[in-house]
């Protein structure tokens, strides 16, 4: 019988100074999209973080150049699939500004109402899915119930559940169905009556608060440095909202109902609180729009357009306060029926860059809490 040979390999203290590279993702599209995080770890602590994007890139900005001004609404609709109506809104505002076109008053107020309903739909998804990512499954069932009530009225008016395709250059696709405003008002009231579940079930949960308070603190300086906007920026004390500071649509007449929610802490808990309070305020704004629409005289909801729509030569920039932050379209026209250039500034693209600042120094266990609190959609990054 041959003797056994044993080999001992010693690594000494080398292992203690060896960093480990950990890939998180690319994740499946059933999450908020296909994102990869490349983390460098020292034990359980993150030393360096790099968001790797591009897995869903569809070249929308290049496709804008090959579609006419009616067709680009479909492309603009899809980059943030939770904010489809708001995405459409920005691009038609840019084209209308180039044309010097005035939109009928009924269209202005209806657009404002639908934009706020779309904001509630977007926020409800994150209000339900964020606790789910931290291990609490119950809130997401509540969120989807409330979403279904609002989805029903949005689908009735537009014909679409996610991609509404209801905006048109010059107004909206068609007039509202008979009795729709009453059904919309009932849906808003129903959703508002159950919103306290997030205060009690989520914010009142000591485990949720322990996982989010003081975690992932984003400073106001970092917000400005990375161009972060929307609820994430306001949770860090950056008091900026285009609906108040540069009003568009009917927001100039809604200042008494509009509340810009801010926090100073800049942590995961503050971001969730801002999102929740903003949802309450959007329901109030929706009611204010419905009140105003009830007093409007009958009239058109869109402008008649020529068969071939051409924007005059020039350029313009239209930005809106999308649910996730500032959404901007820079339109350059050479006088043709298609844009010469249409550059999209999406909210999630800037917001996700803050991970470079947020994750280093934190524990791996807190990574999911920080990532989920940035409320992003990857299609909005990979535009």
């Amino acid at each position: 019988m041959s003797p056994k040979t044993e080999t001992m390999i010693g690594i000494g203290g080398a292992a203690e100074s060896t960093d480990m590279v950990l890939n998180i993702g690319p994740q499946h599209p059933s999450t908020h999209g296909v994102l990869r995080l490349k983390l460098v770890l020292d034990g359980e602590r993150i030393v360096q973080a790099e968001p790797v994007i591009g897995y869903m890139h569809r070249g929308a900005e290049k496709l804008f150049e090959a579609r006419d001004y009616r067709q680009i609404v479909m492309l603009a609709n899809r980059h943030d699939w939770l904010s489809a109506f708001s995405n459409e809104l920005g691009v038609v505002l840019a084209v209308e500004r180039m044309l010097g076109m005035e939109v009928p008053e009924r269209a202005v107020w209806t657009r404002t109402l639908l934009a706020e309903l779309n904001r509630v739909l977007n926020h409800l998804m994150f209000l339900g899915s964020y606790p789910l990512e931290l291990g609490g499954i119950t809130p997401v069932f509540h969120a989807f119930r409330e979403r279904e009530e609002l989805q029903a009225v949005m689908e009735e008016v537009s014909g679409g559940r996610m991609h509404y395709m209801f905006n048109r250059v010059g107004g909206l696709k068609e007039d509202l169905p008979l009795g729709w405003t009453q059904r919309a008002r009932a849906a808003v009231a129903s959703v508002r009556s159950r919103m306290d579940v997030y205060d009690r079930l989520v914010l009142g949960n000591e485990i949720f608060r322990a996982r989010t308070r003081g975690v992932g603190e984003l400073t106001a300086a970092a917000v400005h440095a990375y161009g972060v906007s929307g609820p994430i920026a306001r949770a860090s004390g950056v008091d900026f909202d285009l609906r108040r500071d540069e009003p568009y649509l009917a927001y100039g007449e809604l200042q008494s109902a509009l509340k810009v929610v801010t926090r100073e802490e800049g942590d995961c808990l503050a971001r969730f609180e801002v999102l929740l309070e903003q949802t309450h305020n959007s329901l109030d704004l929706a009611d204010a729009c419905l009140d105003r629409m009830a007093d409007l005289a009958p009239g058109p909801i869109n402008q008649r357009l020529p068969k071939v729509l051409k924007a005059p030569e020039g350029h313009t920039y239209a930005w809106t306060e999308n649910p996730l932050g500032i959404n901007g379209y820079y339109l350059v026209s050479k006088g043709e029926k298609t844009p010469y250039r249409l550059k999209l500034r999406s909210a999630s693209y800037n917001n996700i860059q803050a991970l470079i600042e947020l994750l280093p120094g934190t524990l791996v266990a807190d990574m999911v809490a920080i990532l989920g609190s940035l409320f992003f959609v990857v299609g909005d990054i990979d535009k």
Side-chain angles (χ1 to χ4, degrees):
M1 185 175 180
S2 58
K4 295 181 179 180
T5 304
E6 295 182 359
T7 304
M8 182 177 293
I9 300 174
I11 57 175
E16 298 178 6
S17 61
T18 301
D19 291 334
M20 181 177 75
V21 177
L22 177 66
N23 280 291
I24 307 294
Q27 300 289 3
H28 191 274
S30 65
T31 60
H32 301 306
V34 184
L35 176 71
R36 174 184 165 210
L37 287 178
K38 184 179 177 183
L39 307 179
V40 178
L41 307 180
D42 180 8
E44 287 294 313
R45 199 164 293 278
I46 298 171
V47 176
Q48 183 180 339
E50 178 190 355
V52 182
I53 65 174
Y55 291 95
M56 295 187 66
H57 183 56
R58 293 163 290 175
E61 291 178 337
K62 195 64 181 174
L63 290 172
F64 283 142
E65 301 171 14
R67 304 290 189 273
D68 67 34
Y69 287 108
R70 292 179 175 90
Q71 294 169 329
I72 60 174
V73 176
M74 180 274 294
L75 293 169
N77 179 290
R78 284 162 164 74
H79 56 88
D80 175 0
W81 47 76
L82 295 178
S83 309
F85 186 87
S86 301
N87 300 340
E88 301 169 11
L89 190 59
V91 75
V92 297
L93 288 175
V95 179
E96 288 163 3
R97 185 174 296 176
M98 288 287 289
L99 293 168
M101 180 181 290
E102 187 173 343
V103 176
E105 188 178 18
R106 289 186 65 241
V108 171
W109 281 96
T110 306
R111 279 177 171 180
T112 310
L113 167 63
L114 295 175
E116 290 306 312
L117 292 179
N118 193 194
R119 193 181 309 275
V120 175
L121 284 167
N122 174 289
H123 291 355
L124 280 171
M125 176 62 79
F126 289 106
L127 291 173
S129 66
Y130 184 47
L132 177 65
E133 289 160 4
L134 297 180
I137 193 172
T138 307
V140 76
F141 296 127
H142 290 277
F144 270 89
R145 180 184 61 184
E146 318 314 342
R147 276 175 54 85
E148 280 303 311
E149 291 210 43
L150 295 177
Q151 285 284 91
V153 295
M154 294 291 282
E155 184 176 5
E156 181 187 0
V157 74
S158 67
R161 279 186 61 81
M162 285 186 67
H163 303 297
Y164 304 110
M165 287 299 297
F166 197 53
N167 276 292
R168 295 291 186 273
V169 176
L172 295 168
K173 175 186 173 185
E174 56 195 7
D175 213 335
L176 304 175
L178 187 64
W180 181 85
T181 53
Q182 286 78 18
R183 291 187 287 278
R185 190 183 293 277
V188 169
S190 178
V191 171
R192 180 187 286 108
S193 70
R194 294 194 292 265
M195 283 299 295
D196 68 314
V197 71
Y198 300 99
D199 292 296
R200 294 184 290 104
L201 192 64
V202 183
L203 288 180
N205 187 295
E206 61 184 37
I207 299 175
F208 178 83
R209 299 185 75 87
R211 290 290 307 276
T212 55
R213 185 191 284 119
V215 175
E217 294 181 358
L218 184 65
T219 64
V223 166
H224 293 301
Y226 287 94
V228 175
S229 60
I232 302 171
R234 291 191 283 274
S236 295
V238 178
D239 188 5
F240 181 72
D241 190 315
L242 283 173
R243 296 173 298 171
R244 179 199 63 194
D245 301 323
E246 194 174 310
Y248 57 98
L249 294 181
Y251 288 114
E253 300 180 47
L254 290 170
Q255 296 302 304
S256 60
L258 176 62
K259 178 185 177 184
V260 179
V261 183
T262 61
R263 290 289 188 277
E264 296 297 328
E265 295 81 2
D267 57 9
C268 295
L269 181 60
R271 291 191 278 273
F272 187 87
E273 288 177 342
V274 167
L275 203 70
L276 178 54
E277 281 197 44
Q278 193 166 282
T279 307
H280 284 289
N281 185 237
S282 289
L283 292 170
D284 294 338
L285 288 169
D287 270 339
C289 289
L290 287 165
D291 292 340
R292 182 70 176 86
M293 289 167 64
D295 297 332
L296 292 178
I301 204 160
N302 51 37
Q303 294 274 27
R304 292 184 63 87
L305 299 176
K307 187 173 182 180
V308 178
L309 180 64
K310 295 183 178 181
E313 188 169 347
H315 60 92
T316 191
Y317 183 69
W319 58 347
T320 57
E321 187 70 38
N322 262 36
L324 297 180
I326 293 175
N327 190 78
Y329 292 97
Y330 178 61
L331 170 63
V332 181
S333 171
K334 293 290 188 180
E336 301 297 330
K337 65 178 182 179
T338 61
Y340 176 74
R341 188 77 173 92
L342 185 54
K343 173 67 178 175
L344 166 61
R345 188 268 190 217
S346 61
S348 298
Y349 182 79
N350 284 72
N351 292 354
I352 203 68
Q353 294 182 76
L355 287 171
I356 300 171
E357 186 93 9
L358 281 176
L359 290 179
T362 64
L363 296 172
V364 176
D366 291 328
M367 185 270 299
V368 173
I370 297 170
L371 181 63
S373 73
L374 291 188
F375 312 129
F376 61 90
V377 170
V378 176
D380 204 38
I381 303 170
D382 296 344
K383 48 191 185 293

